[in-house]
Amino acid sequence: MILANNSQTCEGIPSLIGNTNLIRLSKLFPDKKVYGKLELMNPAGSIKDRTSKFIIEESFKQGLIDNDTLILESTSGNMGVGLAQICLYYGLDLHLVVDPYINKQTLKLLKTYGATIDMVREIDDSGSYLNARINRVYELIDDNPNSFWTRQYGNPLNPMTHHRTAEEIVCQLGVYPEYILAATSTCGTLMGFADHNHQFRGNSKIIPVDAYGSIIFGGKAAKRVIPGFGASKPSEFLKHELLAEPMWMEEWESIVGCMKLLRHEAILAGGSTGALVSAVEKLEMKPGEKAVIIICDRGERYLDTIYSEEWIMETFGKECLEMVKKKVNENLEYEPIS
């Protein structure tokens, strides 16, 4: 039998980054039109695949890096994995500065991709490791003349990446959704959506979802244990006038959201996505209005933390574990958690 020439092959792993699906979360939100942008389907598992690819490829085009440049970044996880994949593909050496809150699975991934790991262990004045990580990056820049810091917290290419993500959402829905909810960290994704919405006169409300303990929107600094959600330093990208009022989530609410998404939709996602699930539950929506949440990354990296009863008990206590299980089992039409 002769098959028709209908090839749909791609050229290299970077070609698979982006163009992720948008699905309606109809089992989790039967009475609301809530959609999830499946960024966990990117080849290295998160929305930071987009950022990593765009920054590296644009930096090549602008002559900021060459084949011998050492790439540097401070990361709590996903940006590191995205960079590790894209740098391996292009044959670039990568040096990542991380801290003890990084997931063990993520650390194994980074090493498997061939990244050099530099672990900082002293908490900085803010009670976190972020500033300590960034200080270590500056030391590495001084020690390596032909180095380039991708600078996810300050590189304008970060939010620029997500003009494309926003375009995909509008094309997939056919209209601008009334609400787009994005979790905070660097705020690159958030401001990419907001900039695109403003530039093209969209009518979406771009809602930041921040963690209690994060200082991005003026909150009081406090210990946080879920990586990649919130930050202990202000974002360089924020334009408050383009954003709706932020929503704040407790870390246990992130866990509840993750477990609800898994139980109802069979989607295993990371902590920041859980915060968006809990946030959109509280969002007052009129009939027919649409909301989009960003399903930022895969949950396999959190099996020993967010999805572990032992970890929840050790980190937040027995009462919190019982409350999480109760919240997850609310309005459940099938077998509850034992």
PDB file of all heavy atoms in Angstrom, residues 226-239:
ATOM      1  N   ILE A 226       7.074  26.486  48.313  1.00  0.00           N
ATOM      2  CA  ILE A 226       6.737  26.003  46.972  1.00  0.00           C
ATOM      3  C   ILE A 226       7.513  26.831  45.960  1.00  0.00           C
ATOM      4  O   ILE A 226       7.298  28.043  45.835  1.00  0.00           O
ATOM      5  CB  ILE A 226       5.220  26.097  46.708  1.00  0.00           C
ATOM      6  CG1 ILE A 226       4.472  25.160  47.657  1.00  0.00           C
ATOM      7  CG2 ILE A 226       4.907  25.747  45.251  1.00  0.00           C
ATOM      8  CD1 ILE A 226       2.964  25.192  47.512  1.00  0.00           C
ATOM      9  N   PRO A 227       8.439  26.214  45.228  1.00  0.00           N
ATOM     10  CA  PRO A 227       9.292  26.981  44.309  1.00  0.00           C
ATOM     11  C   PRO A 227       8.522  27.508  43.110  1.00  0.00           C
ATOM     12  O   PRO A 227       7.531  26.921  42.665  1.00  0.00           O
ATOM     13  CB  PRO A 227      10.353  25.954  43.885  1.00  0.00           C
ATOM     14  CG  PRO A 227       9.700  24.625  44.069  1.00  0.00           C
ATOM     15  CD  PRO A 227       8.772  24.778  45.231  1.00  0.00           C
ATOM     16  N   GLY A 228       8.990  28.662  42.595  1.00  0.00           N
ATOM     17  CA  GLY A 228       8.435  29.199  41.364  1.00  0.00           C
ATOM     18  C   GLY A 228       7.120  29.930  41.515  1.00  0.00           C
ATOM     19  O   GLY A 228       6.463  30.239  40.521  1.00  0.00           O
ATOM     20  N   PHE A 229       6.726  30.245  42.760  1.00  0.00           N
ATOM     21  CA  PHE A 229       5.473  30.953  42.991  1.00  0.00           C
ATOM     22  C   PHE A 229       5.720  32.051  44.016  1.00  0.00           C
ATOM     23  O   PHE A 229       6.045  31.780  45.159  1.00  0.00           O
ATOM     24  CB  PHE A 229       4.402  29.975  43.484  1.00  0.00           C
ATOM     25  CG  PHE A 229       3.075  30.622  43.796  1.00  0.00           C
ATOM     26  CD1 PHE A 229       2.555  31.617  42.987  1.00  0.00           C
ATOM     27  CD2 PHE A 229       2.341  30.210  44.897  1.00  0.00           C
ATOM     28  CE1 PHE A 229       1.331  32.209  43.272  1.00  0.00           C
ATOM     29  CE2 PHE A 229       1.115  30.780  45.186  1.00  0.00           C
ATOM     30  CZ  PHE A 229       0.610  31.781  44.372  1.00  0.00           C
ATOM     31  N   GLY A 230       5.588  33.328  43.563  1.00  0.00           N
ATOM     32  CA  GLY A 230       5.943  34.457  44.402  1.00  0.00           C
ATOM     33  C   GLY A 230       7.432  34.737  44.313  1.00  0.00           C
ATOM     34  O   GLY A 230       8.194  34.011  43.663  1.00  0.00           O
ATOM     35  N   ALA A 231       7.862  35.823  44.956  1.00  0.00           N
ATOM     36  CA  ALA A 231       9.278  36.192  44.939  1.00  0.00           C
ATOM     37  C   ALA A 231       9.590  37.090  46.128  1.00  0.00           C
ATOM     38  O   ALA A 231       8.706  37.764  46.669  1.00  0.00           O
ATOM     39  CB  ALA A 231       9.639  36.900  43.637  1.00  0.00           C
ATOM     40  N   SER A 232      10.856  37.101  46.501  1.00  0.00           N
ATOM     41  CA  SER A 232      11.303  37.926  47.630  1.00  0.00           C
ATOM     42  C   SER A 232      11.980  39.200  47.155  1.00  0.00           C
ATOM     43  O   SER A 232      12.670  39.865  47.916  1.00  0.00           O
ATOM     44  CB  SER A 232      12.264  37.115  48.516  1.00  0.00           C
ATOM     45  OG  SER A 232      13.346  36.631  47.755  1.00  0.00           O
ATOM     46  N   LYS A 233      11.788  39.555  45.871  1.00  0.00           N
ATOM     47  CA  LYS A 233      12.276  40.812  45.327  1.00  0.00           C
ATOM     48  C   LYS A 233      11.226  41.371  44.366  1.00  0.00           C
ATOM     49  O   LYS A 233      10.475  40.601  43.756  1.00  0.00           O
ATOM     50  CB  LYS A 233      13.619  40.642  44.618  1.00  0.00           C
ATOM     51  CG  LYS A 233      13.561  39.865  43.314  1.00  0.00           C
ATOM     52  CD  LYS A 233      14.935  39.590  42.738  1.00  0.00           C
ATOM     53  CE  LYS A 233      15.642  40.816  42.234  1.00  0.00           C
ATOM     54  NZ  LYS A 233      15.048  41.422  41.041  1.00  0.00           N
ATOM     55  N   PRO A 234      11.156  42.696  44.230  1.00  0.00           N
ATOM     56  CA  PRO A 234      10.183  43.275  43.296  1.00  0.00           C
ATOM     57  C   PRO A 234      10.488  42.862  41.858  1.00  0.00           C
ATOM     58  O   PRO A 234      11.633  42.610  41.491  1.00  0.00           O
ATOM     59  CB  PRO A 234      10.373  44.782  43.482  1.00  0.00           C
ATOM     60  CG  PRO A 234      11.067  44.937  44.797  1.00  0.00           C
ATOM     61  CD  PRO A 234      11.915  43.720  44.958  1.00  0.00           C
ATOM     62  N   SER A 235       9.441  42.799  41.050  1.00  0.00           N
ATOM     63  CA  SER A 235       9.630  42.498  39.642  1.00  0.00           C
ATOM     64  C   SER A 235      10.038  43.759  38.887  1.00  0.00           C
ATOM     65  O   SER A 235       9.512  44.846  39.143  1.00  0.00           O
ATOM     66  CB  SER A 235       8.340  41.938  39.036  1.00  0.00           C
ATOM     67  OG  SER A 235       8.432  41.869  37.632  1.00  0.00           O
ATOM     68  N   GLU A 236      10.983  43.622  37.953  1.00  0.00           N
ATOM     69  CA  GLU A 236      11.395  44.741  37.117  1.00  0.00           C
ATOM     70  C   GLU A 236      10.426  44.981  35.957  1.00  0.00           C
ATOM     71  O   GLU A 236      10.547  45.975  35.232  1.00  0.00           O
ATOM     72  CB  GLU A 236      12.797  44.485  36.563  1.00  0.00           C
ATOM     73  CG  GLU A 236      13.873  44.381  37.643  1.00  0.00           C
ATOM     74  CD  GLU A 236      15.264  44.167  37.066  1.00  0.00           C
ATOM     75  OE1 GLU A 236      15.525  44.677  35.957  1.00  0.00           O
ATOM     76  OE2 GLU A 236      16.080  43.487  37.724  1.00  0.00           O
ATOM     77  N   PHE A 237       9.467  44.064  35.769  1.00  0.00           N
ATOM     78  CA  PHE A 237       8.586  44.144  34.604  1.00  0.00           C
ATOM     79  C   PHE A 237       7.244  44.803  34.888  1.00  0.00           C
ATOM     80  O   PHE A 237       6.532  45.172  33.960  1.00  0.00           O
ATOM     81  CB  PHE A 237       8.312  42.730  34.058  1.00  0.00           C
ATOM     82  CG  PHE A 237       9.536  41.958  33.686  1.00  0.00           C
ATOM     83  CD1 PHE A 237       9.739  40.668  34.162  1.00  0.00           C
ATOM     84  CD2 PHE A 237      10.502  42.502  32.865  1.00  0.00           C
ATOM     85  CE1 PHE A 237      10.861  39.943  33.816  1.00  0.00           C
ATOM     86  CE2 PHE A 237      11.633  41.791  32.506  1.00  0.00           C
ATOM     87  CZ  PHE A 237      11.811  40.499  32.981  1.00  0.00           C
ATOM     88  N   LEU A 238       6.879  44.952  36.137  1.00  0.00           N
ATOM     89  CA  LEU A 238       5.509  45.332  36.476  1.00  0.00           C
ATOM     90  C   LEU A 238       5.100  46.700  35.949  1.00  0.00           C
ATOM     91  O   LEU A 238       5.826  47.678  36.077  1.00  0.00           O
ATOM     92  CB  LEU A 238       5.314  45.320  37.996  1.00  0.00           C
ATOM     93  CG  LEU A 238       5.086  43.964  38.680  1.00  0.00           C
ATOM     94  CD1 LEU A 238       4.736  44.174  40.133  1.00  0.00           C
ATOM     95  CD2 LEU A 238       4.008  43.153  37.977  1.00  0.00           C
ATOM     96  N   LYS A 239       3.910  46.735  35.365  1.00  0.00           N
ATOM     97  CA  LYS A 239       3.210  47.979  35.029  1.00  0.00           C
ATOM     98  C   LYS A 239       1.818  47.825  35.634  1.00  0.00           C
ATOM     99  O   LYS A 239       0.909  47.243  35.031  1.00  0.00           O
ATOM    100  CB  LYS A 239       3.127  48.169  33.510  1.00  0.00           C
ATOM    101  CG  LYS A 239       4.474  48.245  32.812  1.00  0.00           C
ATOM    102  CD  LYS A 239       4.293  48.278  31.302  1.00  0.00           C
ATOM    103  CE  LYS A 239       5.633  48.199  30.579  1.00  0.00           C
ATOM    104  NZ  LYS A 239       5.451  48.081  29.103  1.00  0.00           N
TER     105      LYS A 239
END
